[in-house]
Amino acid sequence: MVARLKLTSKLIPWYLLLKAIALGAAWVFLPFWVFLLFAIYFYFSSFFQSAKLFWPFLLTLAFAYVFEPTFPHAVFFGAAFFLIFGIKDLAFINRLAAYEILAFLLLFLLSLNFFLTFGSWGNSWIFLASLAASVIFFILAKGLVDYGEFSVDRAKKIAGIGVAAFLLWQLSWAAIFLPINPFYQAALVFLLAAIFLDLLLDYFAGRLTRERIFAEFILFIVFGGLIFFGTQWSL
């Protein structure tokens, strides 16, 4: 599941890191509208590949609006902008792996925000919120698969990603009913989303074998077990 990036300081211009740090600092210390102007300027200062990274960029801005501006959150958002600008400017050798890491990061923020905000079956907005979360997963997964330019037809892509999004929607509902801390609920759903993404990439690349499926299953058992045994259950 862990994507491998071959990155060195000689290959990545340092201005990308400075942009990411500047945006993280602007988000914490300046009004949101000022941060937004800086982010839009940095992103559209070059229109190269703007369409391919638009949804991750927009989703990052949406999360920045929702989350409280703290230093730990700023690190996450700075990392997201670093990956977005690096992919957009072709600074990474393995850009598909960088996109996958970006998707993992955004899915983690999505899961965390969802369960901290709507993580109760008694919440009246839970149905629409969980549906919206599955749609966001669909958009991120489709963007990742499209960026990989796999030689499969569009209908097959939509069907495969749609099935994964539907399963994640159902499993997120199941996680809501677990009597555990919202952070652990978010970790569990994020783990499932990351595994689904890996399986989709393997499927569309034609390398989905029983061995890979078994490896992902073992991964879920190990990390899922850590999540279940590491939390306090409350009834």
Side-chain angles (χ1 to χ4, degrees):
M1 185 181 71
V2 178
R4 293 183 178 88
L5 284 176
K6 299 176 182 178
L7 307 178
T8 67
S9 59
K10 293 181 179 179
L11 294 174
I12 302 178
W14 283 102
Y15 75 87
L16 293 177
L17 186 59
L18 293 177
K19 276 185 179 181
I21 294 174
L23 284 177
W27 180 64
V28 172
F29 297 110
L30 299 178
F32 182 80
W33 66 269
V34 177
F35 156 77
L36 185 62
L37 289 177
F38 274 116
I40 292 174
Y41 171 75
F42 285 153
Y43 186 78
F44 289 106
S45 58
S46 169
F47 285 97
F48 181 66
Q49 290 205 114
S50 294
K52 286 189 174 183
L53 277 300
F54 178 75
W55 286 112
F57 175 69
L58 186 63
L59 188 58
T60 303
L61 293 180
F63 284 139
Y65 180 77
V66 171
F67 277 81
E68 181 183 356
T70 63
F71 177 75
H73 291 158
V75 173
F76 276 98
F77 288 115
F81 284 120
F82 176 74
L83 290 168
I84 289 171
F85 296 143
I87 298 167
K88 188 173 178 290
D89 294 348
L90 307 181
F92 300 134
I93 295 174
N94 191 342
R95 289 181 291 278
L96 181 60
Y99 202 130
E100 188 177 7
I101 292 175
L102 174 62
F104 287 163
L105 180 59
L106 294 178
L107 285 172
F108 175 75
L109 292 174
L110 173 65
S111 300
L112 189 61
N113 183 61
F114 173 74
F115 283 102
L116 288 178
T117 307
F118 304 101
S120 170
W121 62 270
N123 192 303
S124 58
W125 291 97
I126 192 65
F127 177 82
L128 290 178
S130 60
L131 181 60
S134 67
V135 170
I136 292 173
F137 170 83
F138 180 91
I139 292 172
L140 283 174
K142 186 177 182 301
L144 176 62
V145 172
D146 286 344
Y147 195 85
E149 298 181 350
F150 298 108
S151 57
V152 294
D153 60 85
R154 180 180 175 81
K156 189 175 181 180
K157 284 183 182 180
I158 297 297
I161 298 170
V163 169
F166 177 78
L167 289 175
L168 189 65
W169 182 30
Q170 298 301 302
L171 291 169
S172 66
W173 266 92
I176 289 170
F177 289 92
L178 293 176
I180 59 177
N181 187 287
F183 288 100
Y184 288 94
Q185 291 174 319
L188 182 62
V189 172
F190 165 70
L191 176 62
L192 290 167
I195 288 174
F196 284 165
L197 268 188
D198 257 0
L199 292 175
L200 284 171
L201 289 179
D202 286 341
Y203 175 62
F204 293 129
R207 57 174 184 261
L208 186 61
T209 61
R210 284 180 294 181
E211 288 77 13
R212 283 183 176 269
I213 295 174
F214 182 72
E216 296 289 352
F217 177 74
I218 294 299
L219 189 70
F220 175 76
I221 293 298
V222 171
F223 286 97
L226 291 175
I227 293 170
F228 281 119
F229 290 110
T231 185
Q232 281 190 325
W233 294 75
S234 59
L235 298 176

